[in-house]
Structure formats: structure tokens, C-alpha cells
Amino acid sequence: MLAKVKTAALVGLEGQLVDVEVDIASGLPAFNIVGLPDAAVQEARERVRAAIRNSGCTFPTKRIVVNLAPADLKKAGPAYDLPIAVGILLSSEQIFADVSQTLFIGELSLDGSLRHTNGVLPIVALSLEKGLPDIVTPGVNAREASLIEGTRIIPFDSLSRLVSYLRGEIPAPEYQPEESPETDAPASAITDLAYIKGQEHVKRALEVAAAGGHNVIMMGPPGSGKTLLARSLPLILPPMTNEEALEVTKIYSVSGLLPADTPLIRHRPFRSPHYTISNAGLVGGGHWPKPGEISLSHRGVLFLDELPEFGHSLLETLRQPLEDKVITISRAQSSVTFPANFMMVGAMNPCPCGYWGDPFRQCTCPPGLVSRYQKRISGPFIDRVDIFVEVPHVDYEKLTDDTLGEKSEQAQSRVQAARLRQLERFQGSTMNCNSEMTPTEVRDFCQAEEPAQNLLKAAMNQLHLSARAFHRILKLGRTIADLENADIIKAHHLAEAIQYRPRTMV
Ligand SMILES: Nc1ncnc2c1ncn2[C@@H]1O[C@H](COP(=O)(O)OP(=O)(O)OP(=O)(O)O)[C@@H](O)[C@H]1O
Ligand SMILES: [Mg+2]
């Protein structure tokens, strides 16, 4: 007899319907899976065989063929275990049920229990889109699956319980959302601004950056607090909207990085990859394209500590996603697009020894090395950075001053107010913050009063700024004005924005 069970494949961040067709015929015992399965899907044979046997059912000793249709779509991962098992049980007439309106996903253990499965969230979204009312998931995925409303989640912890349900022996265990607050802890090693002494101008620059989603580079000698300052950003950034939280959770769900006790990621991601990271690790890739660090920092911060050490070619690969806010990974058979709308924060020393330009210590780098070091970061890359700030070393008096500075909370409330103004401004568009404005929006939204225009004109002429710099200064000016709740950009807003321009370093 032939049985058909519905499941889904993941293509990037989107789900795609897959039919699992199972045919059992008499002949020499065999169990084959066709339809472009990868190694993990092939191994499903062993898991399914043991799980069926250990769930009180019989594994048919006949010729079994499983076809995953459409046959030209690659299938990866262990989520096909459950639909294959259900297909075999239906086909061998051990259960009789109409499963045409139900989608099944789940990885099986040898003992028949259902394990946590990656990428459940996009698959629930798909079943809603395709009008499938029911979705059977592993019990541990139920909270994550229930984030998208409109589909009935039927969670099971074992194949044997599912078999009883399909035989009509037990009712459907519908998922009841728990009342517990769905909050995840912010990443560890996060610092409150209050504990960072001095560096007021850097804190201000980070506040402006957080308010408008601008990219930042911090430069200064070793031990001046660059890493510390960058790690204070997550506490200044405003909380994510529900929509943003869902987007981020989808990416983590597909990457298998969603903690089991955190169904919804509410804190903005803060990713800090080491400079030895590979190209694929940074921007995404692999045989089955997976999101890289830039997508894992979507809606949050990508912190590149020791920026020049990342090397020229790695930084160049960031140029396109920094501009487009998405990354497309092409493979021979298909291409997938992942979102990558992140705030880039870089920290660097001015030279390999770290003391070039330091008023108190002599730089020991040989001539030529400093400029070679700084040239590892190309002009076009620097051009995409809105705020460039120097972090000098802190003196004794400031470090030993016991008075606590302003807490991150206060900065965050100002940032949040500025972000609300931006959300209102960009209502109806896909933009969220000022840094995303294109020249058209800059023209529409960045009106400056006359003295401000004169200042900008003088700066353009004297500093020989490029067209991109012109737009960047206006965007920054808009953010600084938003922090002051001002409708029109004034001269002092632009004066501050001009200060943040990337300097020619050597
Ligand atoms: N402004 C500051 N207030 C309080 N502590 C500070 C400050 N600056 C630095 N420190 C202390 O110095 C340590 C080193 O700072 P941090 O790692 O941020 O320096 P860095 O600028 O990143 O140096 P490097 O260039 O070597 O990476 C911090 O862990 C912190 O204890
Ligand atoms: Mg550091």
C-alpha cells in the first residue's frame, strides 16, 4: 500500500513542502530512501527501524521505498525521521488515519522518543501559509512552534504516544502556552556604562550609534577600554520589536543555536567572532548554506575586535552585506538569501605596537609598518562606517574616581525615544533607523536650518568630503537631532556629526 505524509524542507530561512511517499511491496527485505537525501536523511533508516521496533510496532520485513518529493530539492538533516516512520506505519496498515492536513517534523531516538529539531519556526510559518491546520512537533519544540499563532501545535514526546493518538486511543495533546515570562538572559560579559571611567566622548558616540544604528570604529592604545566600551552596547540598545524578535529567532532556530529554554530571543544579539574566522563562518556558507556571524548578529551588534587582524579579504566580503543588509549565497543548484542587518562595531590599535600617535609613549614600529597595518582596512570599508572615534588612555585621577557614572538604563531610554521617532518617520517602509536611509530619504527627511547648511558647505569645501560623506553627516545629524527631540537639524547637530567623520589615519 502507498502512504503519503507531509513534511517540510528548509531552504535558507524559508520552509518548503515535501511529500514523504512510502511504498511497501513484497520481495527481499530492503529499505531505500530516494529524492536527493543527504547523509543524515540516509541514516534515518537506522533510527526509524529501531524507533518503530521500540515503540511496540513491527518494522515490515518487505521491500520499502521512501520517496521525498519534489525529487530535485535537496533534503538535509534528521527532521524527516518522524514523517518517514509515520509513512511506514500507515503503509504497513498498523495505523489508519487521515493525515492529509497534518505536517510532521521531528528527529527520532532509537528508543522512539522525539528529540529537539532545528528550524521548527520557519516550518510552522509555512504550514500557516499553506493552510495546513495541524502540525506535529517534538514536545521540546512546542514553545518555539507556538510563537506563530494560527496553527494547532500537537506536541509529542514519543512515537508510541503519537501512534496511540493516530489510532484514536488518546486525544490530541494540544499545547498550552505557559505563563512564564519569555525572556532570555543578555549575553555574559556585558558591562554597564556606569562602571566605565572617563571616556565620556566615546560613550556619547556609542549612544549616537545605538540611536541611529550607525557603524562605529574605535581606535586607541592597548588597555584604553575599547573592548569594554563595545561590550556596553547591548545595554544601551533598545529592546527589539516583536517582529524583529521573531526574525532573529528564526535565524537561530535554523542554525540550531536556539537554547531549549528560550523560545523567543528578546535581547539584541551581540556577536564577537575571533579574527581567525573563515569566510563561510563570517558571511555564511557551506555545502548546505548556513547563516554566518553577520546573520547571527541581525538586528544586533557584530563586534570585530582587533579589526585589522581580520585581514583585507575578509573585511572586503563584508562590504556588500553592510550596504545591502542581506547576503545571498549561491550554490550550483540554488541560492539562498539570509538577512544581515547588523550594526558593525570595530576596535583597533593604531599600529601593531599600539602606541602610534600616543602622547606619552613612543611607538616602536618600523617606518612603513604603521601605514601597511592601517591599509589592511580599505577606503571603501571605512566609507561604510558612520562614526569614527578615538579612545585615548584614561588617566589615574579618572580611574580611581569612585563616583559612578550614568547608568546604561538612562542612555537606553534616550536611545529608545530617538528610535521611536525614527519608527514613526519610516512608517510604511521597511526601514527602522536613520542609518538605513538612502540619498532619496536623506533629501526628504534631513532638512537642516540655514546656519547648519552653511556649516556643512564650509566643511565640504575645507575638508574635501565625498558625496557619501555628505550623506553620512546628514544622517548622523538627523540621529543627533532625534536624540534631542528636534524636528529640524541645527548647526550644533551637524558640528558633532562632522567630528565623527573617519579621519585619514596615517
Ligand atoms: N575607562 C575604564 N574604566 C574602567 N576600567 C577600564 C577602563 N579602561 C580600561 N579598563 C580596564 O582595563 C581592562 C582592559 O580594557 P580593554 O580590554 O577594554 O582594553 P582595549 O582597549 O580593548 O585593549 P586592547 O587594545 O589591548 O584590546 C578592562 O578589562 C578594564 O578592567
Ligand atoms: Mg581589546
Side-chain angles (χ1 to χ4, degrees):
M1 184 188 155
L2 180 81
K4 253 190 199 181
V5 178
K6 284 194 163 54
T7 185
L10 279 177
V11 183
L13 288 187
E14 304 301 324
Q16 205 162 320
L17 272 188
V18 168
D19 281 325
V20 177
E21 299 170 347
V22 181
D23 182 61
I24 301 185
S26 45
L28 281 178
F31 184 6
N32 289 316
I33 300 179
V34 297
L36 283 189
D38 80 338
V41 183
Q42 285 294 2
E43 286 170 357
R45 290 180 297 179
E46 303 307 323
R47 288 189 295 269
V48 167
R49 195 194 307 264
I52 287 183
R53 246 194 254 124
N54 292 328
S55 300
C57 301
T58 322
F59 189 83
T61 42
K62 292 188 171 178
R63 216 182 105 74
I64 305 170
V65 180
V66 174
N67 177 36
L68 306 175
D72 58 352
L73 178 74
K74 287 190 187 178
K75 326 287 184 315
Y80 298 93
D81 294 1
L82 184 65
I84 292 176
V86 171
I88 290 176
L89 293 173
L90 282 168
S91 179
S92 58
E93 300 182 347
Q94 297 182 61
I95 46 179
F96 298 91
D98 176 15
V99 292
S100 60
Q101 298 300 308
T102 310
L103 203 143
F104 294 82
I105 43 165
E107 175 184 339
L108 283 170
S109 254
L110 297 188
D111 65 359
S113 55
L114 278 160
R115 297 169 56 94
H116 184 269
T117 305
N118 295 335
V120 165
L121 206 52
I123 293 175
V124 180
L126 171 82
S127 76
L128 189 67
E129 187 191 311
K130 298 284 178 194
L132 291 172
D134 295 343
I135 173 160
V136 172
T137 70
V140 275
N141 285 109
R143 273 181 85 180
E144 176 194 342
S146 66
L147 290 177
I148 297 179
E149 284 168 18
T151 306
R152 187 166 71 130
I153 311 295
I154 314 178
F156 284 98
D157 290 325
S158 66
L159 181 62
S160 56
R161 302 272 308 162
L162 172 61
V163 168
S164 306
Y165 162 68
L166 291 175
R167 284 177 178 156
E169 294 163 7
I170 55 168
E174 208 168 328
Y175 174 68
Q176 294 298 334
E178 291 161 35
E179 288 297 313
S180 66
E182 289 168 348
T183 51
D184 51 327
S188 56
I190 298 299
T191 327
D192 196 292
L193 277 186
Y195 301 103
I196 304 176
K197 313 283 182 199
Q199 312 291 28
E200 301 304 333
H201 70 291
V202 190
K203 291 184 191 174
R204 166 68 184 175
L206 290 179
E207 182 176 324
V208 174
H214 302 283
N215 299 325
V216 192
I217 288 184
M218 290 183 281
M219 183 159 97
S224 56
K226 299 178 295 296
T227 306
L228 198 66
L229 281 154
R231 292 198 179 276
S232 72
L233 256 178
L235 289 181
I236 318 179
L237 285 165
M240 287 193 280
T241 60
N242 282 342
E243 220 172 282
E244 288 174 331
L246 211 55
E247 272 175 38
V248 173
T249 308
K250 236 182 180 184
I251 299 173
Y252 279 71
S253 169
V254 168
S255 313
L257 292 175
L258 196 63
D261 56 346
T262 314
L264 183 65
I265 295 183
R266 285 230 159 263
H267 284 100
R268 287 184 189 272
F270 181 88
R271 304 289 298 185
S272 164
H274 189 252
Y275 57 74
T276 50
I277 189 171
S278 68
N279 235 312
L282 188 64
V283 297
H287 187 56
W288 305 94
K290 279 259 164 128
E293 288 291 333
I294 60 168
S295 300
L296 293 173
S297 21
H298 181 60
R299 302 286 178 207
V301 177
L302 177 69
F303 176 42
L304 304 178
D305 208 354
E306 319 296 347
L307 191 63
E309 302 296 344
F310 278 82
H312 183 78
S313 83
L314 209 52
L315 292 182
E316 292 305 284
T317 56
L318 282 182
R319 269 166 59 179
Q320 180 264 329
L322 274 173
E323 196 98 343
D324 299 346
K325 317 277 183 203
V326 294
I327 177 91
T328 302
I329 300 165
S330 296
R331 291 285 172 268
Q333 291 192 327
S334 64
S335 70
V336 297
T337 300
F338 294 118
N341 189 352
F342 57 92
M343 190 177 146
M344 198 279 297
V345 179
M348 63 183 285
N349 298 127
C351 67
C353 87
Y355 293 100
W356 185 82
D358 192 278
F360 307 106
R361 254 168 104 160
Q362 183 80 31
C363 169
T364 54
C365 299
L369 189 62
V370 180
S371 84
R372 269 212 306 284
Y373 182 73
Q374 295 189 356
K375 278 197 186 115
R376 288 194 204 166
I377 305 168
S378 69
F381 183 84
I382 292 207
D383 236 15
R384 284 161 176 78
V385 177
D386 295 344
I387 297 183
F388 191 86
V389 61
E390 285 182 33
V391 187
H393 84 211
V394 235
D395 52 32
Y396 176 81
E397 279 74 32
K398 282 203 179 122
L399 266 184
T400 47
D401 186 359
D402 275 341
T403 47
L404 279 189
E406 192 188 47
K407 294 204 55 108
S408 294
E409 250 169 66
Q410 283 156 290
Q412 192 200 33
S413 65
R414 289 192 296 270
V415 168
Q416 200 163 351
R419 284 265 177 141
L420 278 180
R421 281 181 66 92
Q422 296 167 57
L423 282 179
E424 256 169 51
R425 173 175 309 138
F426 301 130
Q427 227 170 27
S429 79
T430 52
M431 282 184 295
N432 282 314
C433 49
N434 289 336
S435 65
E436 295 168 29
M437 283 192 280
T438 62
T440 324
E441 282 95 32
V442 171
R443 202 189 50 220
D444 291 349
F445 297 123
C446 298
Q447 278 92 19
E449 59 174 26
E450 199 163 331
Q453 286 178 17
N454 294 338
L455 177 79
L456 187 55
K457 193 169 156 193
M460 290 289 293
N461 289 334
Q462 280 172 25
L463 303 169
H464 307 291
L465 300 177
S466 67
R468 200 188 246 147
F470 172 77
H471 286 129
R472 177 174 53 224
I473 289 171
L474 278 173
K475 278 194 261 185
L476 265 179
R478 185 62 265 164
T479 303
I480 296 166
D482 283 336
L483 274 168
E484 260 182 31
N485 207 4
D487 284 329
I488 190 150
I489 304 175
K490 301 200 172 111
H492 70 277
H493 300 143
L494 284 189
E496 185 181 343
I498 292 168
Q499 269 183 21
Y500 293 134
R501 75 185 183 281
R503 319 276 166 94
T504 338
M505 292 182 260
V506 179

